[in-house]
Short mmCIF file of all heavy atoms in Angstrom, two decimals:
data_model
loop_
_atom_site.label_atom_id
_atom_site.label_comp_id
_atom_site.label_asym_id
_atom_site.label_seq_id
_atom_site.Cartn_x
_atom_site.Cartn_y
_atom_site.Cartn_z
N SER A 35 -3.57 5.67 3.87
CA SER A 35 -4.07 5.03 2.65
C SER A 35 -2.89 4.47 1.87
O SER A 35 -1.80 5.06 1.86
CB SER A 35 -4.82 6.05 1.78
OG SER A 35 -5.15 5.47 0.53
N ASN A 36 -3.11 3.34 1.20
CA ASN A 36 -2.09 2.85 0.27
C ASN A 36 -2.71 2.24 -1.00
O ASN A 36 -2.05 1.50 -1.71
CB ASN A 36 -1.13 1.87 0.95
CG ASN A 36 -1.71 0.51 1.23
OD1 ASN A 36 -2.93 0.35 1.32
ND2 ASN A 36 -0.84 -0.47 1.37
N LEU A 37 -3.96 2.58 -1.27
CA LEU A 37 -4.63 2.10 -2.48
C LEU A 37 -5.36 3.24 -3.19
O LEU A 37 -5.78 4.20 -2.53
CB LEU A 37 -5.66 1.01 -2.15
CG LEU A 37 -5.16 -0.33 -1.63
CD1 LEU A 37 -6.35 -1.23 -1.30
CD2 LEU A 37 -4.24 -1.00 -2.63
N ALA A 38 -5.57 3.08 -4.48
CA ALA A 38 -6.44 3.97 -5.27
C ALA A 38 -6.01 5.44 -5.11
O ALA A 38 -6.82 6.27 -4.71
CB ALA A 38 -7.91 3.76 -4.90
N ASP A 39 -4.76 5.73 -5.43
CA ASP A 39 -4.20 7.08 -5.34
C ASP A 39 -4.24 7.58 -3.89
O ASP A 39 -5.08 8.41 -3.52
CB ASP A 39 -4.93 8.05 -6.27
CG ASP A 39 -4.20 9.38 -6.41
OD1 ASP A 39 -3.22 9.65 -5.66
OD2 ASP A 39 -4.62 10.18 -7.28
N PRO A 40 -3.34 7.06 -3.05
CA PRO A 40 -3.38 7.36 -1.62
C PRO A 40 -3.33 8.84 -1.27
O PRO A 40 -4.03 9.27 -0.34
CB PRO A 40 -2.13 6.65 -1.08
CG PRO A 40 -1.85 5.55 -2.05
CD PRO A 40 -2.29 6.09 -3.37
N VAL A 41 -2.58 9.64 -2.00
CA VAL A 41 -2.55 11.08 -1.71
C VAL A 41 -3.93 11.66 -1.91
O VAL A 41 -4.45 12.41 -1.07
CB VAL A 41 -1.50 11.82 -2.58
CG1 VAL A 41 -1.66 13.33 -2.46
CG2 VAL A 41 -0.08 11.40 -2.18
N ALA A 42 -4.59 11.31 -3.01
CA ALA A 42 -5.94 11.80 -3.27
C ALA A 42 -6.92 11.30 -2.22
O ALA A 42 -7.82 12.04 -1.79
CB ALA A 42 -6.40 11.39 -4.67
N GLN A 43 -6.77 10.05 -1.78
CA GLN A 43 -7.65 9.51 -0.74
C GLN A 43 -7.55 10.30 0.55
O GLN A 43 -8.56 10.67 1.16
CB GLN A 43 -7.31 8.03 -0.46
CG GLN A 43 -7.65 7.08 -1.58
CD GLN A 43 -9.14 6.81 -1.70
OE1 GLN A 43 -9.94 7.13 -0.83
NE2 GLN A 43 -9.52 6.20 -2.81
N VAL A 44 -6.31 10.58 0.98
CA VAL A 44 -6.11 11.32 2.23
C VAL A 44 -6.61 12.76 2.10
O VAL A 44 -7.26 13.28 3.00
CB VAL A 44 -4.63 11.26 2.66
CG1 VAL A 44 -4.35 12.21 3.82
CG2 VAL A 44 -4.25 9.83 3.05
N MET A 45 -6.38 13.38 0.95
CA MET A 45 -6.83 14.75 0.77
C MET A 45 -8.36 14.83 0.67
O MET A 45 -8.98 15.78 1.16
CB MET A 45 -6.16 15.40 -0.45
CG MET A 45 -4.63 15.51 -0.30
SD MET A 45 -4.07 16.23 1.28
CE MET A 45 -4.60 17.92 1.07
N ALA A 46 -8.99 13.82 0.06
CA ALA A 46 -10.46 13.77 0.02
C ALA A 46 -11.01 13.59 1.44
O ALA A 46 -12.03 14.20 1.80
CB ALA A 46 -10.93 12.65 -0.89
N ALA A 47 -10.33 12.78 2.24
CA ALA A 47 -10.77 12.58 3.62
C ALA A 47 -10.62 13.88 4.40
O ALA A 47 -11.50 14.23 5.22
CB ALA A 47 -9.97 11.46 4.28
N LYS A 48 -9.54 14.61 4.16
CA LYS A 48 -9.36 15.91 4.83
C LYS A 48 -10.55 16.82 4.53
O LYS A 48 -11.12 17.46 5.44
CB LYS A 48 -8.07 16.57 4.39
CG LYS A 48 -7.86 17.95 4.95
CD LYS A 48 -6.63 18.62 4.36
CE LYS A 48 -6.46 20.04 4.89
NZ LYS A 48 -5.33 20.75 4.26
N GLN A 49 -10.95 16.89 3.28
CA GLN A 49 -12.11 17.70 2.88
C GLN A 49 -13.37 17.23 3.59
O GLN A 49 -14.16 18.04 4.10
CB GLN A 49 -12.32 17.67 1.37
CG GLN A 49 -11.28 18.43 0.57
CD GLN A 49 -11.24 19.90 0.95
OE1 GLN A 49 -10.23 20.38 1.44
NE2 GLN A 49 -12.32 20.61 0.73
N ALA A 50 -13.57 15.92 3.65
CA ALA A 50 -14.77 15.37 4.26
C ALA A 50 -14.81 15.62 5.76
O ALA A 50 -15.89 15.85 6.32
CB ALA A 50 -14.86 13.86 3.97
N LEU A 51 -13.66 15.60 6.42
CA LEU A 51 -13.62 15.88 7.87
C LEU A 51 -14.16 17.26 8.17
O LEU A 51 -14.75 17.48 9.22
CB LEU A 51 -12.19 15.76 8.40
CG LEU A 51 -11.56 14.36 8.43
CD1 LEU A 51 -10.10 14.46 8.86
CD2 LEU A 51 -12.34 13.42 9.34
N GLN A 52 -13.99 18.18 7.24
CA GLN A 52 -14.45 19.55 7.45
C GLN A 52 -15.98 19.66 7.44
O GLN A 52 -16.53 20.68 7.84
CB GLN A 52 -13.84 20.48 6.39
CG GLN A 52 -12.33 20.57 6.53
CD GLN A 52 -11.70 21.45 5.48
OE1 GLN A 52 -12.09 22.58 5.30
NE2 GLN A 52 -10.70 20.90 4.79
N SER A 53 -16.65 18.61 6.98
CA SER A 53 -18.11 18.64 6.95
C SER A 53 -18.76 17.82 8.06
O SER A 53 -19.99 17.71 8.09
CB SER A 53 -18.60 18.14 5.57
OG SER A 53 -18.31 16.76 5.43
N PHE A 54 -17.97 17.29 8.97
CA PHE A 54 -18.54 16.53 10.09
C PHE A 54 -19.39 17.47 10.94
O PHE A 54 -19.01 18.62 11.16
CB PHE A 54 -17.44 15.92 10.95
CG PHE A 54 -16.89 14.60 10.45
CD1 PHE A 54 -17.01 14.22 9.14
CD2 PHE A 54 -16.25 13.76 11.32
CE1 PHE A 54 -16.50 13.02 8.69
CE2 PHE A 54 -15.73 12.54 10.90
CZ PHE A 54 -15.86 12.17 9.57
N PRO A 55 -20.53 16.98 11.45
CA PRO A 55 -21.38 17.82 12.29
C PRO A 55 -20.68 18.19 13.59
O PRO A 55 -19.91 17.40 14.14
CB PRO A 55 -22.61 16.94 12.55
CG PRO A 55 -22.13 15.55 12.33
CD PRO A 55 -21.05 15.62 11.30
N GLU A 56 -20.95 19.42 14.05
CA GLU A 56 -20.46 19.89 15.36
C GLU A 56 -18.94 19.73 15.50
O GLU A 56 -18.44 19.49 16.61
CB GLU A 56 -21.18 19.16 16.50
CG GLU A 56 -22.69 19.32 16.46
CD GLU A 56 -23.36 18.49 17.53
OE1 GLU A 56 -23.17 18.84 18.71
OE2 GLU A 56 -24.05 17.52 17.18
N THR A 57 -18.23 19.86 14.38
CA THR A 57 -16.80 19.60 14.38
C THR A 57 -16.09 20.61 13.48
O THR A 57 -16.61 20.98 12.43
CB THR A 57 -16.51 18.18 13.84
OG1 THR A 57 -17.19 17.24 14.68
CG2 THR A 57 -15.03 17.84 13.85
N GLU A 58 -14.93 21.05 13.94
CA GLU A 58 -14.10 21.99 13.17
C GLU A 58 -12.72 21.39 12.99
O GLU A 58 -12.10 20.94 13.97
CB GLU A 58 -14.01 23.31 13.95
CG GLU A 58 -13.07 24.30 13.37
CD GLU A 58 -12.83 25.49 14.31
OE1 GLU A 58 -13.30 25.47 15.47
OE2 GLU A 58 -12.13 26.41 13.88
N LEU A 59 -12.23 21.35 11.76
CA LEU A 59 -10.86 20.91 11.49
C LEU A 59 -9.95 22.10 11.81
O LEU A 59 -10.09 23.16 11.20
CB LEU A 59 -10.71 20.50 10.02
CG LEU A 59 -9.33 20.05 9.59
CD1 LEU A 59 -8.90 18.77 10.31
CD2 LEU A 59 -9.30 19.82 8.08
N THR A 60 -9.06 21.95 12.77
CA THR A 60 -8.23 23.07 13.23
C THR A 60 -6.80 23.03 12.68
O THR A 60 -6.21 24.07 12.45
CB THR A 60 -8.23 23.17 14.76
OG1 THR A 60 -7.89 21.90 15.31
CG2 THR A 60 -9.59 23.60 15.28
N ARG A 61 -6.23 21.84 12.53
CA ARG A 61 -4.89 21.72 11.95
C ARG A 61 -4.77 20.40 11.23
O ARG A 61 -5.47 19.43 11.54
CB ARG A 61 -3.81 21.75 13.05
CG ARG A 61 -3.59 23.15 13.63
CD ARG A 61 -2.37 23.20 14.52
NE ARG A 61 -2.76 22.74 15.85
CZ ARG A 61 -1.98 22.80 16.92
NH1 ARG A 61 -0.76 23.28 16.81
NH2 ARG A 61 -2.39 22.37 18.09
N PHE A 62 -3.88 20.39 10.22
CA PHE A 62 -3.66 19.17 9.44
C PHE A 62 -2.18 19.08 9.13
O PHE A 62 -1.59 20.04 8.65
CB PHE A 62 -4.50 19.22 8.16
CG PHE A 62 -4.68 17.89 7.48
CD1 PHE A 62 -5.66 17.01 7.90
CD2 PHE A 62 -3.84 17.51 6.45
CE1 PHE A 62 -5.82 15.78 7.29
CE2 PHE A 62 -3.99 16.29 5.82
CZ PHE A 62 -4.99 15.40 6.25
N SER A 63 -1.59 17.94 9.38
CA SER A 63 -0.15 17.77 9.18
C SER A 63 0.20 17.67 7.71
O SER A 63 -0.67 17.54 6.83
CB SER A 63 0.34 16.50 9.87
OG SER A 63 -0.07 15.34 9.15
N SER A 64 1.48 17.69 7.45
CA SER A 64 2.00 17.34 6.12
C SER A 64 1.67 15.87 5.87
O SER A 64 1.30 15.13 6.79
CB SER A 64 3.52 17.51 6.08
OG SER A 64 3.88 18.83 6.37
N LEU A 65 1.84 15.46 4.64
CA LEU A 65 1.69 14.04 4.29
C LEU A 65 3.05 13.36 4.47
O LEU A 65 4.09 13.96 4.20
CB LEU A 65 1.22 13.89 2.85
CG LEU A 65 -0.11 14.53 2.50
CD1 LEU A 65 -0.47 14.27 1.05
CD2 LEU A 65 -1.24 14.07 3.42
N TYR A 66 3.00 12.11 4.90
CA TYR A 66 4.19 11.31 5.13
C TYR A 66 4.04 9.98 4.40
O TYR A 66 2.96 9.41 4.38
CB TYR A 66 4.39 11.03 6.62
CG TYR A 66 4.79 12.23 7.43
CD1 TYR A 66 3.85 13.21 7.75
CD2 TYR A 66 6.10 12.40 7.86
CE1 TYR A 66 4.22 14.32 8.50
CE2 TYR A 66 6.47 13.52 8.61
CZ TYR A 66 5.52 14.48 8.92
OH TYR A 66 5.89 15.58 9.64
N SER A 67 5.12 9.52 3.81
CA SER A 67 5.15 8.21 3.19
C SER A 67 5.81 7.23 4.17
O SER A 67 6.79 7.58 4.83
CB SER A 67 5.98 8.28 1.90
OG SER A 67 6.16 7.00 1.35
N SER A 68 5.23 6.03 4.29
CA SER A 68 5.80 5.04 5.20
C SER A 68 5.60 3.64 4.64
O SER A 68 4.61 3.36 3.96
CB SER A 68 5.15 5.15 6.58
OG SER A 68 3.78 4.86 6.52
N PRO A 69 6.55 2.75 4.94
CA PRO A 69 6.40 1.36 4.49
C PRO A 69 5.31 0.66 5.28
O PRO A 69 4.99 1.07 6.40
CB PRO A 69 7.78 0.75 4.78
CG PRO A 69 8.37 1.60 5.85
CD PRO A 69 7.79 2.97 5.68
N PRO A 70 4.73 -0.42 4.73
CA PRO A 70 3.71 -1.17 5.48
C PRO A 70 4.32 -1.75 6.77
O PRO A 70 5.51 -2.07 6.81
CB PRO A 70 3.28 -2.28 4.52
CG PRO A 70 4.22 -2.26 3.39
CD PRO A 70 4.99 -0.99 3.42
N MET A 71 3.49 -1.86 7.80
CA MET A 71 3.98 -2.31 9.12
C MET A 71 4.53 -3.72 9.08
O MET A 71 5.49 -4.04 9.77
CB MET A 71 2.86 -2.24 10.16
CG MET A 71 2.56 -0.84 10.57
SD MET A 71 1.46 -0.67 12.01
CE MET A 71 0.65 -2.22 12.18
N ASP A 72 3.93 -4.59 8.30
CA ASP A 72 4.35 -6.00 8.32
C ASP A 72 5.40 -6.32 7.25
O ASP A 72 5.70 -7.48 7.02
CB ASP A 72 3.13 -6.90 8.17
CG ASP A 72 2.42 -6.71 6.84
OD1 ASP A 72 2.85 -5.87 6.03
OD2 ASP A 72 1.42 -7.40 6.62
N ALA A 73 5.98 -5.28 6.62
CA ALA A 73 7.02 -5.46 5.61
C ALA A 73 6.59 -6.38 4.48
O ALA A 73 7.40 -7.06 3.88
CB ALA A 73 8.32 -5.94 6.25
N SER A 74 5.30 -6.40 4.19
CA SER A 74 4.79 -7.25 3.13
C SER A 74 5.00 -6.57 1.77
O SER A 74 5.61 -5.52 1.67
CB SER A 74 3.30 -7.51 3.34
OG SER A 74 2.58 -6.31 3.14
N ASP A 75 4.46 -7.20 0.73
CA ASP A 75 4.65 -6.65 -0.60
C ASP A 75 3.57 -5.64 -0.98
O ASP A 75 3.42 -5.30 -2.14
CB ASP A 75 4.68 -7.79 -1.62
CG ASP A 75 3.39 -8.61 -1.64
OD1 ASP A 75 2.49 -8.33 -0.82
OD2 ASP A 75 3.31 -9.53 -2.46
#
């Protein structure tokens, strides 16, 4: 994510993954910051 509070977006997605049917979240990495792939603004 890089919009609308990206840390909060990724953490909200982590929570949502835990509610997927027939699925268990087993591990989750640290968060990493990275520049955009196309070196844009």
Side-chain angles (χ1 to χ4, degrees):
S35 173
N36 74 337
L37 292 177
D39 192 351
V41 169
Q43 290 286 347
V44 170
M45 297 311 290
K48 175 186 178 184
Q49 288 301 117
L51 291 175
Q52 295 179 53
S53 67
F54 276 22
E56 303 175 67
T57 302
E58 172 190 7
L59 179 65
T60 51
R61 286 190 276 188
F62 197 83
S63 74
S64 300
L65 301 182
Y66 290 75
S67 174
S68 63
M71 286 190 342
D72 62 0
S74 68
D75 60 357

